[in-house]
Amino acid sequence: MEFCRRVLVVFILSQIVCTGAQDDAEEVACSPGFQVKQYQVEYDGGFLKDQPLLKVVFDDCAENQDVSFEVSHPDFLIDEDLNLVPRRDVIDSGAVLFVHGLNAHADDMAQVDIMGAPPRSPQTLREIVGLGDITPYRTKRSLLVPPMFVPENQRAPFPRSIGKSHVISYDMKDDHYFRLTGKGADQDPKGVFSINRRTGEVAVSRALDREAIAFYHLQVSTTDMSGNLVEGPVDLDVYIIDQNDNRPIFKESRYSGEVLEGSPSGTTVMTMTALDADDPNTDNAVLRYIILRQSPEKPSPNMFYIDPERGDIITVISPSQLDRETLPTTQYELEIVAKDMAGSEVGLTGTATATITITDRNDHAPEFTHSLFQASVDEGSTGVVVNLTVDDRDDPATGGFRAMYSIIKGDPNQSFEIHTNPDNNEGMLSVVKPLDYESSMFHTLMIRVENEDPLVPDVIYGPSSTATVYIAVQDVNEGPVFFPDPLMVTKWENIPVGSFVAMLNATDPDFRQIQSVRYGVLRDPAGWLSVNPVKGMVNTTATLDRESPHVHNNRYSAVFMATDNGNPPATGTGTLIITLQDENDNAPYVVPSVARMCEDAKEVNVAVIGARDKDIHPNTDPFKIELGKQLGLEKTWKISRINNTHSQIMLLHSLQRANYNVPLVLTDSGFPPLTNNTELKVQVCTCKKNRMDCNGAVTPVTDLLLLLSLLTLSILCL
């Protein structure tokens, strides 16, 4: 129907042009186009295929080279002899046909009236244009301007007449003129259309492009010689008739889509979309899609189908054949053609490529390459012992290929672990807890492999998804083992040199071999101990001193080694911890060793002193702190007990600023108690305003005996 309308409009234009030319132009010897514009044929119930109905008369004035004809009814054509011929038996011919002839020299239309044929809508040229319904713009106006139609891409010569404005009344004066205004006339784009000021004939000055401008809205009016408006303005709408001059264009040159293997027939893969810039209301922009070529063509050259109207690509191949693992490739390329004119032979085409990837689903369970794997490992070692290999036909880039391994039997002590090597999908079986040859020479494990993604419902893990791993443990010469380790003993300090301390016990775990063990001292920080190399007896070689810096929290630690006679020899170590019991072998000492007092007894004349002892309870406090047994000492100094560890010393009268050594006797509470005769240095200082100045307290009386003598002399003199 759209094609018919387009042809009718072109015919109207050709008739109008011819009419205008007859009014204003001189006759020419040859007018390019149909020499007879209108034909008639009788309708007698229909027309038979290939039976000529009439012969059209067409002359392009250049020997009719490369003339193409198009008939408004698709079931008719113009043959090489210019005969109108049915393509098939036709009943619904309608009452009128239009024939379009076109080449480089002519572009013309002719009408064929079929007399007696059932009416079709629209029937006549006048009804299509609607001239019978045209009424004046206003009842008072006599100016009549019908719509005009111009085909795009017309060839020269220009200007070409496209229609005529009319004055209905016959009283248009000679001094009145037609005027054309609007975009395309006196506005940009200027000069596309012009009007004959006397006759009202409208002409186009150049070829038009509907895709650039599809519609022009102009205005026609009449004026007097002075330019004053007489009638109008009246709207003139010029419609550009589309020609099929634009190919379909795909949005992209290459499209990509995916379809899951095993998908049912009819699964939509992707949609191809092309655009045509021609008039969407005509067949010029009605597209149809086809698959021109599939590569590769196996297993079938028609694996896919494209919906000709929507462009949807769907699968045609059966689900069983759409198997990624058996197809020759996982990617197929389709060459897609979009053709306008609803896919007719004369339609223009555009192409694009669709790449379809067959994606994987997890329809193959992983299978071990062997049902039994064997490995050996040295006892006492850790690390990877064997790599388990599997086959999986699924896509390596998916979770349907990546393997997960697990130990399902034979590892009660969790001595083994298995992980997936991400580089090759192998299972790396490792020893994480050292194995003991003497406990078990062999280990048998059952390993299962699965995929990260679940299998499709109709596939299960079979026997090949499990494997047995047989591991042989190799005997290694192990060092002797001490028991217990550490060995704890308690001894008194100061026991005689050569005293027995402990008996070491080291055994060789390689009980399947007969080997001897020899002992030695590895680390003895204080050098107090020795060991019998054969028996393992530990004795003292020096006095054990609990107060030694090598003793911590009353404990002394030494490390011994035991070496077997294997090849090569192996060594083990053990620790001996001696808890030392305290003896009262350290006398107490005074702290601090220096005390300060004021020279004036009325000021600060008391100092607090304490006793310390390197021994531990009960060989320490309570301490007894007393003045030494010297004559007259108690007349100057007095000691009073504060608690078990501290006492205070008091100056009983003023002394000259100096340093004094006061004899003291300190006794601990051990059994037997130990006494220490020592001295306390007392600085007698100058005290003023709560400040004590002891600088330069150099002893005018540095010896306490001299001080006592002076005191005695003073007493005798009294």
Side-chain angles (χ1 to χ4, degrees):
M1 179 62 69
E2 295 297 334
F3 169 78
C4 183
R5 290 179 181 172
R6 178 171 58 86
V7 171
L8 291 177
V9 170
V10 174
F11 178 71
I12 293 171
L13 296 175
S14 67
Q15 295 302 306
I16 294 174
V17 171
C18 290
T19 303
Q22 290 175 2
D23 290 342
D24 300 316
E26 297 181 356
E27 287 188 31
V28 294
C30 181
S31 176
F34 288 97
Q35 303 305 304
V36 178
K37 304 293 186 181
Q38 192 162 4
Y39 302 85
Q40 290 184 350
V41 64
E42 291 292 333
Y43 179 83
D44 188 14
F47 303 101
L48 298 178
K49 177 181 177 182
D50 298 332
Q51 178 179 335
L53 304 182
L54 58 86
K55 186 172 184 178
V56 298
V57 182
F58 185 89
D59 187 358
D60 67 349
C61 304
E63 299 183 355
N64 284 354
Q65 296 293 322
D66 300 323
V67 181
S68 62
F69 294 96
E70 194 170 6
V71 183
S72 60
H73 196 300
D75 292 335
F76 293 89
L77 59 84
I78 302 297
D79 64 11
E80 295 178 353
D81 297 326
L82 303 184
N83 292 316
L84 177 64
V85 181
R87 299 176 184 265
R88 62 177 180 84
D89 293 343
V90 178
I91 298 175
D92 56 340
S93 62
V96 63
L97 299 177
F98 296 96
V99 182
H100 182 201
L102 174 67
N103 72 351
H105 305 286
D107 184 355
D108 202 3
M109 298 284 295
Q111 178 175 332
V112 179
D113 295 321
I114 301 176
M115 310 304 293
R120 301 181 69 192
S121 179
Q123 298 181 37
T124 67
L125 182 61
R126 179 170 294 275
E127 288 175 346
I128 292 173
V129 178
L131 293 178
D133 297 330
I134 295 178
T135 58
Y137 183 79
R138 289 188 314 188
T139 57
K140 292 183 179 181
R141 290 180 179 173
S142 59
L143 186 61
L144 176 63
V145 184
M148 298 182 185
F149 301 85
V150 182
E152 66 173 334
N153 305 323
Q154 285 183 310
R155 297 186 177 94
F158 291 103
R160 283 179 175 239
S161 175
I162 64 172
K164 191 174 183 180
S165 300
H166 302 276
V167 176
I168 296 177
S169 63
Y170 295 97
D171 58 354
M172 181 172 176
K173 298 179 180 180
D174 291 339
D175 60 349
H176 289 180
Y177 303 102
F178 288 97
R179 182 174 64 185
L180 184 66
T181 58
K183 292 183 178 179
D186 60 344
Q187 300 177 24
D188 290 334
K190 296 180 180 179
V192 177
F193 300 98
S194 61
I195 192 167
N196 187 304
R197 59 185 300 187
R198 292 296 303 162
T199 65
E201 184 178 10
V202 179
V204 62
S205 63
R206 57 177 178 261
L208 303 180
D209 183 5
R210 190 205 67 85
E211 287 70 44
I213 301 177
F215 168 81
Y216 291 86
H217 182 69
L218 304 171
Q219 290 182 325
V220 177
S221 58
T222 59
T223 64
D224 59 19
M225 294 183 64
S226 300
N228 298 316
L229 183 65
V230 175
E231 183 70 28
V234 176
D235 291 338
L236 167 59
D237 294 332
V238 180
Y239 299 90
I240 311 305
I241 302 173
D242 186 45
Q243 287 190 345
N244 191 21
D245 57 347
N246 289 278
R247 293 181 178 275
I249 298 176
F250 284 92
K251 292 182 178 179
E252 304 172 19
S253 61
R254 301 189 69 89
Y255 288 73
S256 297
E258 295 180 349
V259 61
L260 186 66
E261 64 171 331
S263 296
S265 300
T267 300
T268 300
V269 181
M270 58 197 297
T271 299
M272 307 291 288
T273 303
L275 301 176
D276 195 310
D278 289 320
D279 188 352
N281 297 315
T282 68
D283 283 351
N284 295 341
V286 176
L287 305 183
R288 294 293 183 264
Y289 299 91
I290 62 170
I291 298 175
L292 184 64
R293 186 178 299 105
Q294 171 189 303
S295 177
E297 296 184 349
K298 295 181 179 180
S300 166
N302 300 310
M303 295 173 60
F304 304 94
Y305 166 79
I306 188 168
D307 186 290
E309 296 184 6
R310 295 195 300 268
D312 295 338
I313 298 179
I314 62 176
T315 59
V316 178
I317 189 171
S318 66
S320 60
Q321 287 185 297
L322 193 61
D323 184 359
R324 177 188 167 278
E325 288 72 37
T326 59
L327 291 173
T329 180
T330 59
Q331 282 193 339
Y332 286 83
E333 286 197 352
L334 307 180
E335 186 175 348
I336 308 299
V337 175
K339 181 181 286 190
D340 60 20
M341 296 299 294
S344 70
E345 294 181 0
V346 297
L348 302 178
T349 61
T351 62
T353 300
T355 301
I356 299 176
T357 301
I358 313 301
T359 57
D360 187 47
R361 62 175 187 158
N362 194 14
D363 55 350
H364 293 87
E367 297 180 347
F368 284 101
T369 57
H370 305 285
S371 60
L372 176 64
F373 294 84
Q374 299 187 39
S376 62
V377 59
D378 292 340
E379 66 171 330
S381 65
T382 58
V384 178
V385 295
V386 64
N387 292 310
L388 309 183
T389 55
V390 295
D391 285 333
D392 196 317
R393 299 171 63 188
D394 291 312
D395 186 354
T398 66
F401 175 85
R402 292 188 291 271
M404 299 188 302
Y405 299 87
S406 59
I407 302 171
I408 60 176
K409 187 178 180 181
D411 186 25
N413 298 321
Q414 286 76 50
S415 300
F416 300 89
E417 286 183 358
I418 187 166
H419 300 281
T420 303
N421 187 332
D423 296 328
N424 54 24
N425 215 35
E426 294 179 354
M428 301 183 296
L429 182 63
S430 304
V431 176
V432 293
K433 293 181 180 179
L435 304 177
D436 183 17
Y437 172 83
E438 286 71 31
S439 298
S440 177
M441 294 183 290
F442 306 101
H443 294 268
T444 302
L445 305 178
M446 184 71 72
I447 309 297
R448 178 170 59 197
V449 62
E450 298 174 313
N451 288 132
E452 290 183 3
D453 292 346
L455 295 172
V456 296
D458 55 340
V459 178
I460 61 173
Y461 292 102
S464 298
S465 296
T466 59
T468 301
V469 181
Y470 185 75
I471 300 173
V473 182
Q474 303 296 318
D475 188 24
V476 175
N477 186 28
E478 300 171 272
V481 178
F482 283 84
F483 182 83
D485 186 21
L487 174 61
M488 312 284 289
V489 297
T490 301
K491 296 294 178 181
W492 285 97
E493 66 174 332
N494 303 321
I495 60 175
V497 174
S499 297
F500 171 80
V501 177
M503 182 67 74
L504 302 179
N505 177 32
T507 59
D508 193 335
D510 300 309
F511 61 84
R512 299 180 188 274
Q513 305 176 23
I514 301 176
Q515 297 181 150
S516 60
V517 175
R518 295 182 65 83
Y519 298 91
V521 178
L522 182 63
R523 186 168 64 251
D524 180 14
W528 290 343
L529 305 173
S530 65
V531 63
N532 186 295
V534 178
K535 296 181 179 181
M537 180 183 295
V538 179
N539 296 88
T540 62
T541 58
T543 301
L544 306 182
D545 183 8
R546 193 199 65 83
E547 291 75 33
S548 167
H550 300 292
V551 177
H552 304 283
N553 296 326
N554 303 324
R555 291 183 174 185
Y556 178 74
S557 296
V559 180
F560 295 86
M561 61 182 180
T563 305
D564 62 22
N565 60 345
N567 186 19
T571 299
T573 61
T575 301
L576 172 64
I577 298 178
I578 305 173
T579 300
L580 294 175
Q581 293 181 316
D582 187 43
E583 286 191 345
N584 194 18
D585 56 348
N586 290 278
Y589 57 93
V590 66
V591 290
S593 59
V594 177
R596 291 181 176 182
M597 296 183 184
C598 296
E599 59 184 345
D600 188 351
K602 296 179 181 180
E603 301 291 338
V604 179
N605 63 348
V606 176
V608 176
I609 58 176
R612 298 268 180 91
D613 197 318
K614 293 182 180 180
D615 293 318
I616 60 176
H617 190 78
N619 297 320
T620 55
D621 61 280
F623 297 108
K624 182 186 295 184
I625 304 176
E626 301 174 305
L627 292 173
K629 306 298 183 182
Q630 294 186 14
L631 182 64
L633 194 60
E634 66 279 0
K635 295 185 179 296
T636 303
W637 310 95
K638 179 181 179 181
I639 291 181
S640 303
R641 185 174 183 274
I642 298 176
N643 54 32
N644 289 345
T645 57
H646 290 78
S647 297
Q648 68 177 12
I649 182 170
M650 179 183 296
L651 178 62
L652 299 178
H653 57 82
S654 299
L655 286 179
Q656 184 180 359
R657 173 176 171 174
N659 293 333
Y660 299 90
N661 292 324
V662 180
L664 297 177
V665 178
L666 283 73
T667 305
D668 62 23
S669 296
F671 184 82
L674 289 181
T675 299
N676 181 19
N677 293 304
T678 184
E679 291 182 342
L680 172 67
K681 181 179 179 181
V682 179
Q683 290 183 331
V684 178
C685 307
T686 301
C687 299
K688 293 181 179 180
K689 297 181 180 180
N690 297 324
R691 296 185 63 183
M692 181 178 287
D693 182 12
C694 298
N695 294 330
V698 202
T699 130
V701 183
T702 58
D703 193 304
L704 191 56
L705 292 177
L706 179 59
L707 173 63
L708 293 175
S709 299
L710 292 174
L711 290 173
T712 303
L713 181 60
S714 64
I715 292 171
L716 292 176
C717 292
L718 292 174

